[in-house]
Amino acid sequence: MDLNLAWFLLFFVLIAGYAILDGYDLGVGILSLGARGDLEQRLHLNAIGPVWDGNEVWLITAGGALFAAFPPVYATVFSGLYLALVLLLLALILRAVSFEFRSKVEHPGWRRAWDLAFGLGSLGATVLFGVAVGNILRGLPLDPRGEFAGTFLGLLNPYALGIGLLTVVMFVVHGALYLAPKGSDEMQPRLLRVAARGSLVWAALYLTLTVATALGHPDLFAGGLGRPAVGLGLVLTVGGLIGVPVALRQGSPGRALLASSLAIAGHVALGAVSLFPNLVPALGTPERSLTLYNSASTPLTLTVMLVIALVGMPIVIGYTIFVHRIFRGKVVIGEHSY
C-alpha cells in the first residue's frame, strides 16, 4: 500500500468534508448581512448554532493530518501565509464570539454590532479560504529549501482573488439551500431565488476560471486532464452545477443542497487531481515543489497515524450525521435560542 498516496487522498477527503459542512454555515453567515429584522437574524444564527463548531472539526482534523503526514508542507504554508492565517483566525473568532455575546445586552446597537461581526467574519473567512486555495493552485514562490519566498501582497493576485470570489458565491448558494427549509415561510422564497440566481453565477465563474487556468497555468490544467481520476471530479462538478437549478425548478431544495454538495466535492477532487503529486507547487521553479513523496513523514508515522484516522474518522462521520438528524427541520426560536 502506498501510504503517501493514502494520506494525500485522506487529506483532500477532509478538505472536501470541511468545504461541504462549514461551507453552508459560512454561507448562512454571509446571508445574515441581508437579514430583515431581529427575528430573521436569530433564525440565521439558530439554523447553524447546533452544528457550526462540529463542522469546523473537519478543518482542525485536516490541519492535524497535514502536520502529521507532511510536516514540511505544514511548515511552509503556515509560516509563509502567516498574516493571512492570522486574519482568518480573527474572522473565525469573530463569528464564534458573536453567537455568545449578541444576546448578553438587550440593546439594538449592541446586537447590530455583533450581527455585523458575524456576517463580516463569515465573509472574510470565506474570501481568505478561497484566496489561499487559489494561491496553492497557482503555486507559491519557494526558495531552494522549500520555504515561502513571497509577500502578503503577492498573494492578492487576480487568479487567487477570482477563486476567492467563486468561493463566496459557492458558499452563499450552499448556505441559502441549507437555510431555505429551516427558516420562516417568508424567507424561503427569497433564499431560493438567491440560490437559483447564484447557481448561474457560480457556473459562469467556474467556467471563466477554468479558461483562466488553461491559459495562465497550462501545466496545472494539462496535469489534471491527463489523469483518469479527473472523470470523477468532472461528473461531480458538472452534475452538481446542473443539478442545483434543475432541483429548484422541481421544487426540491433538499436535492438542490445535495447537488451543491456534490459540486463542491467535485471542485476539491479536480483540484487534488490537478495538483498531484504536488501539495505545494513552486511558482516558476517546479523542481522545488513540495510533493507527497519529498515532504512526507516516515513510513512508521504514516502507518500509526493511518490506524488512528481509520478509528477516528467513523466517529467523526457518525456524530456529524447524528447531530444533523437531531436538529433537522424548521428552526423554532425558544427561551434558550441565540
Side-chain angles (χ1 to χ4, degrees):
M1 180 180 180
D2 190 331
L3 290 169
N4 304 63
L5 178 59
W7 272 101
F8 181 86
L9 295 174
L10 180 58
F11 173 73
F12 281 101
V13 167
L14 291 169
I15 292 297
Y18 174 73
I20 292 169
L21 293 170
D22 208 35
Y24 72 68
D25 64 52
L26 286 169
V28 169
I30 297 170
L31 288 165
S32 73
L33 292 168
R36 299 178 181 179
D38 185 71
L39 177 60
E40 284 199 6
Q41 184 68 38
R42 295 185 71 190
L43 288 170
H44 282 78
L45 289 168
N46 286 278
I48 61 172
V51 297
W52 71 268
D53 48 353
N55 292 342
E56 291 193 352
V57 168
W58 288 75
L59 178 63
I60 297 169
T61 306
L66 191 65
F67 174 77
F70 306 104
V73 174
Y74 181 93
T76 295
V77 172
F78 278 73
S79 60
L81 307 182
Y82 188 77
L83 180 55
L85 291 171
V86 167
L87 293 173
L88 172 61
L89 184 60
L90 288 174
L92 293 175
I93 289 172
L94 270 178
R95 291 183 77 239
V97 171
S98 64
F99 277 94
E100 304 298 335
F101 278 23
R102 181 185 189 271
S103 298
K104 296 299 183 185
V105 178
E106 293 187 10
H107 186 280
W110 172 271
R111 291 189 171 186
R112 279 196 298 270
W114 287 112
D115 291 343
L116 194 61
F118 175 62
L120 293 180
S122 301
L123 177 61
T126 302
V127 171
L128 288 166
F129 279 129
V131 168
V133 170
N135 276 288
I136 294 297
L137 291 173
R138 174 176 176 263
L140 295 176
L142 302 179
D143 66 17
R145 295 183 298 176
E147 297 179 2
F148 182 68
T151 63
F152 175 74
L153 291 179
L155 299 175
L156 303 178
N157 55 81
Y159 184 77
L161 291 173
I163 299 291
L165 178 59
L166 171 67
T167 307
V168 170
V169 174
M170 177 173 71
F171 283 0
V172 165
V173 172
H174 198 47
L177 292 171
Y178 176 81
L179 184 59
K182 300 181 78 67
S184 66
D185 292 338
E186 184 181 319
M187 293 168 59
Q188 189 175 55
R190 298 202 311 268
L191 291 168
L192 294 179
R193 283 196 298 272
V194 167
R197 295 168 184 172
S199 65
L200 300 178
V201 178
W202 179 1
L205 281 171
Y206 180 75
L207 179 61
T208 301
L209 287 165
T210 299
V211 173
T213 303
L215 296 177
H217 309 283
D219 293 341
L220 181 69
F221 189 81
L225 290 180
R227 299 187 175 105
V230 74
L232 174 62
L234 285 172
V235 168
L236 291 174
T237 297
V238 176
L241 289 175
I242 294 174
V244 170
V246 169
L248 288 175
R249 288 195 192 96
Q250 294 172 347
S252 178
R255 288 203 300 270
L257 179 62
L258 175 61
S260 68
S261 300
L262 293 176
I264 292 171
H267 290 350
V268 176
L270 287 173
V273 171
S274 298
L275 286 171
F276 183 85
N278 297 320
L279 283 160
V280 181
L283 183 63
T285 52
E287 68 279 2
R288 297 178 184 175
S289 298
L290 300 178
T291 73
L292 69 157
Y293 295 108
N294 68 13
S295 59
S297 295
T298 64
L300 178 60
T301 300
L302 295 178
T303 301
V304 172
M305 291 303 300
L306 185 59
V307 172
I308 294 172
L310 292 176
V311 173
M313 281 300 296
I315 297 173
V316 173
I317 294 170
Y319 83 65
T320 299
I321 295 172
F322 175 76
V323 169
H324 282 78
R325 283 185 59 83
I326 290 294
F327 292 100
R328 68 187 182 276
K330 281 192 174 294
V331 175
V332 178
I333 301 297
E335 181 183 354
H336 301 291
S337 300
Y338 291 111

